[in-house]
Amino acid sequence: GTIHWVHADSAVPVKVRLYENIIDEEKGVYNEDGSLNLAKVFELAMNGGKNQAGFQLGLKTRHFLECETFEEVLDSYTAQMRYFTEIHCMLCRKGQQIRGANHAKLVKGIFTDGCLERGLNHDAGGPIYGHGIIETAGLAPLADALMAIKKLVFEEGRLTFGEFMAILRENWEGHEPLRQFVLNKYVY
């Protein structure tokens, strides 16, 4: 896996591990159609579907401050994830249709098994195997964030959700010992 640092309009840089499984590029699997940032969806879920500027970008779901259980937090995140996955898949399908109709990858099609044999270009179903990939970014920090919330707020009661979110908005400023505790203790 490759490690990247992604800001994604967040108050804090997000450590992201990207993993890409490629069977064989000649068979056509490697063709990313987009990237879905799971940590960004989590940020929107925290705020009931709103971004940091207050614009409603996602579904109207429970703000994390309104959640009384960890299961409610997961329900809110899951609803946002389904919403954004649906939109992302629709946009990726549309992108493949546009590229397919415009023969955008003629050279790649020549070197991809199946395209010449089927008489179809790369984005029109020519490759032997599925021809699209939606990469996800932010799985590891998402798991760590959920673990920290579950433990810190709901199981151990070290902080209220309001206190924890205020600390996050301040980018942990003045809370370095707690930040180190969370980084070292609540890693999924």
Side-chain angles (χ1 to χ4, degrees), residues 32 42-43 46 52 59 76 80 90 108 112 125 129 140 151 178:
E32 72 283 346
F42 179 77
E43 179 185 312
M46 282 178 62
Q52 290 180 357
L59 290 175
S76 183
Q80 294 294 343
M90 183 269 303
K108 188 169 189 166
T112 303
Y129 298 114
K151 297 290 186 183
L178 179 62

Side-chain angles (χ1 to χ4, degrees), residues 100-163:
N102 291 293
H103 305 285
K105 295 181 181 167
L106 285 178
V107 174
K108 188 169 189 166
I110 293 168
F111 298 104
T112 303
D113 292 345
C115 291
L116 291 175
E117 295 84 355
R118 294 178 178 165
L120 296 171
N121 71 41
H122 199 277
D123 285 310
I128 291 174
Y129 298 114
H131 61 283
I133 294 174
I134 297 174
E135 295 177 341
T136 55
L139 181 59
L142 169 66
D144 292 346
L146 288 170
M147 179 67 77
I149 289 168
K150 182 178 182 181
K151 297 290 186 183
L152 260 181
V153 175
F154 292 103
E155 289 182 2
E156 297 172 7
R158 291 178 182 261
L159 298 167
T160 67
F161 221 122
E163 291 168 334

Side-chain angles (χ1 to χ4, degrees), residues 166-181:
I167 290 169
L168 293 178
R169 278 192 200 96
E170 296 165 5
N171 198 16
W172 299 92
E173 197 169 309
H175 301 280
E176 185 60 24
L178 179 62
R179 188 179 84 82
Q180 288 301 320
F181 177 80

